[in-house]
């Protein structure tokens, strides 16, 4: 007997719908092939097309028109890319998933940790995957998307159904022309990215500077080693043996290669949005406490950024 999946007619290339039309969502939508992409509306006025200009890493300007598509429309997606902020993911997905087939893979692009695990626990039978990307994108205004730097993306399953769908999802995402890898250990890759975010984002938000400028700031220099020791001790508990000095090197390498960029957290503070601190240093502090490990610096940075958000 045909499985429900094989009985659904699948056009080629695979249809990917994007939930979350921020910088990262717009980046994927811009590169996915025409007719096989769409944004899922989250507001009443999101109808017709979402139009913006893509500025490629070589400076070329391309007009982009992505349709707003209801998830219940005839073209059921082959894949759902979730590019909402970590704190919005559960609510946004709850609204959408009732319209999607149970076998539609859900690919989570959120920063930090915690939101992915909540989704995987909430829908254990659905294919849930996580993606870690180094693609750089930002939106200087509502109509422009800057693809600041070419990167790479790693995708891996967070549950057994997600692992089964992994190669299908990699093929779907690779139809964009962006570089996509299948990642057998996505949990560790998420932890590596988390450590880098924890060492860059809060400092850029608090000091209010581009990524590269933190490296000479007394506030960063005073706290970075203790921060890295806290993170390394937690990573040890999570099965990743990494020295604090290695973490510092990785943080500083990313800060240097993205020196002129404004981090997502600094941008959130500047624009009066809620930051993802709860899922970055907040998650680390909470996990450290759970394992009776020191968390002073992670806790201090979390509280500081939350206070900045409150007054922004
Ligand atoms: O969150 C961000 O903005 C980026 O992931 C990072 C690592 C700070 C580099 O710009």
């Amino acid at each position: 007997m045909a499985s429900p999946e094989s009985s659904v007619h699948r056009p080629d290339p695979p249809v990917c719908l994007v939930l979350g039309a921020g910088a990262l969502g717009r980046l994927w939508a811009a590169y996915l092939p025409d007719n096989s992409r769409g944004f899922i509306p989250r507001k009443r006025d999101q109808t017709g097309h979402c139009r913006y200009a893509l500025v490629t890493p070589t400076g070329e300007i391309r007009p982009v028109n992505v349709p707003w598509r209801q998830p219940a429309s005839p073209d059921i997606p082959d894949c759902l890319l979730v590019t909402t902020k970590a704190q919005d993911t559960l609510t946004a997905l709850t609204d959408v998933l009732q319209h999607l087939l149970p076998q539609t893979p859900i690919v989570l692009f959120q920063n930090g940790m915690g939101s992915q695990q909540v989704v995987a626990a909430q829908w254990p039978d659905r294919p849930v995957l996580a993606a870690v990307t180094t693609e750089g994108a930002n939106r200087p205004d509502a109509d422009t998307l800057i693809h600041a730097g070419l990167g790479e993306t790693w995708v891996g399953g967070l549950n057994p159904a997600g692992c089964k769908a992994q190669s299908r999802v990699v093929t779907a995402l690779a139809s964009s022309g962006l570089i996509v890898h299948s990642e057998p250990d996505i949990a560790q890759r998420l932890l590596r990215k988390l450590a880098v975010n924890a060492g860059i984002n809060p400092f850029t938000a608090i000091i209010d500077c581009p990524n590269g400028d933190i490296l000479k700031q007394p506030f960063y220099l005073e706290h970075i080693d203790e921060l890295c020791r806290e993170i390394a001790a937690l990573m040890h508990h999570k099965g990743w043996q990494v020295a604090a000095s290695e973490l510092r090197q990785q943080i500083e390498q990313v800060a240097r290669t993205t020196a002129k960029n404004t981090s997502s957290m600094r941008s959130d503070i500047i624009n009066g949005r809620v930051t993802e601190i709860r899922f970055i240093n907040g998650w680390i502090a909470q996990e450290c406490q759970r394992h009776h490990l020191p968390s002073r610096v992670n806790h201090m940075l979390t509280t500081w950024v939350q206070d900045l958000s409150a007054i922004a």
Side-chain angles (χ1 to χ4, degrees):
M1 200 178 80
S3 69
E5 192 169 7
S6 61
S7 66
V8 175
H9 171 67
R10 290 281 166 226
D12 198 31
V15 173
C16 295
L17 292 191
V18 181
L19 180 63
L24 195 58
R26 284 175 189 236
L27 181 80
W28 283 95
Y31 283 92
L32 284 164
D34 281 351
N35 303 325
S36 70
R37 63 185 180 181
F39 283 124
I40 297 182
R42 294 175 65 205
K43 294 183 191 145
R44 276 172 187 275
D45 62 350
Q46 292 175 327
T47 54
H49 283 76
C50 177
R51 297 176 208 279
Y52 50 96
L54 165 73
V55 184
T56 69
T58 54
E60 193 193 327
I61 301 175
R62 291 189 207 154
V64 182
N65 288 317
V66 180
W68 293 105
R69 285 180 171 189
Q70 291 295 341
S73 65
D75 19 46
I76 300 162
D78 296 274
C79 187
L80 177 69
L81 276 55
V82 187
T83 52
T84 48
K85 289 274 182 195
Q87 56 272 20
D88 300 333
T89 302
L90 191 61
T91 313
L93 265 178
T94 305
D95 292 345
V96 166
L97 285 187
Q98 50 185 316
H99 302 294
L100 296 188
L101 292 174
Q103 66 267 26
T104 307
I106 304 164
V107 191
L108 303 170
F109 279 82
Q110 283 59 43
N111 264 335
M113 284 290 247
S115 67
Q116 304 90 337
Q117 291 70 21
V118 168
V119 171
Q122 181 84 8
W123 292 285
D125 299 326
R126 285 187 176 266
V128 180
L129 301 95
V132 172
T133 187
T134 57
E135 297 290 352
N138 61 76
R139 285 173 72 194
D141 58 65
D143 303 324
T144 312
L145 174 76
I146 299 192
H147 187 188
L150 271 177
E152 295 174 61
T153 302
W154 291 264
V155 180
L158 288 176
N159 60 7
C163 293
K164 240 173 116 185
Q166 195 159 319
S167 70
R168 191 154 52 98
V169 169
V170 169
T171 306
L173 294 190
S175 69
S176 64
L178 298 172
I179 299 169
V180 185
H181 307 282
S182 189
E183 171 59 74
D185 190 355
I186 197 69
Q188 190 185 114
R189 203 167 273 277
L190 283 167
L191 289 176
R192 286 177 184 272
K193 172 99 191 294
L194 173 76
V196 169
N197 283 139
I200 297 180
N201 294 34
F203 290 108
T204 59
I206 293 167
I207 301 166
D208 191 16
C209 66
N211 296 352
D213 289 9
I214 59 172
L215 299 173
K216 291 200 174 110
Q217 290 288 330
F219 180 68
Y220 170 83
L221 294 168
E222 187 185 336
H223 296 294
I224 189 62
D225 283 327
E226 191 178 340
L227 180 83
C228 288
R229 282 196 294 275
E230 291 177 9
I231 300 174
L234 178 64
M235 296 306 160
H236 183 82
H237 254 266
K238 302 275 175 197
W240 173 29
Q241 314 303 331
V242 62
S245 56
E246 194 188 323
L247 286 179
R248 182 168 172 178
Q249 264 173 20
Q250 288 170 5
I251 288 165
E252 299 195 346
Q253 192 192 332
V254 175
R256 274 191 290 272
T257 49
T258 62
K260 291 198 164 58
N261 292 7
T262 283
S263 77
S264 49
M265 195 171 284
R266 178 179 180 224
S267 163
D268 285 341
I269 295 284
I270 292 171
N271 292 295
R273 296 187 293 251
V274 178
T275 72
E276 294 178 311
I277 192 75
R278 184 156 68 87
F279 300 88
I280 301 178
N281 303 81
W283 184 85
I284 296 172
Q286 195 185 316
E287 285 294 293
C288 285
Q289 276 162 10
R290 201 158 71 84
H291 295 294
H292 309 288
L293 297 168
S295 62
R296 191 190 71 85
V297 179
N298 277 288
H299 186 74
M300 179 269 290
L301 293 173
T302 303
T303 311
W304 197 318
V305 172
Q306 281 170 339
D307 289 350
L308 281 181
S309 284
I311 55 169

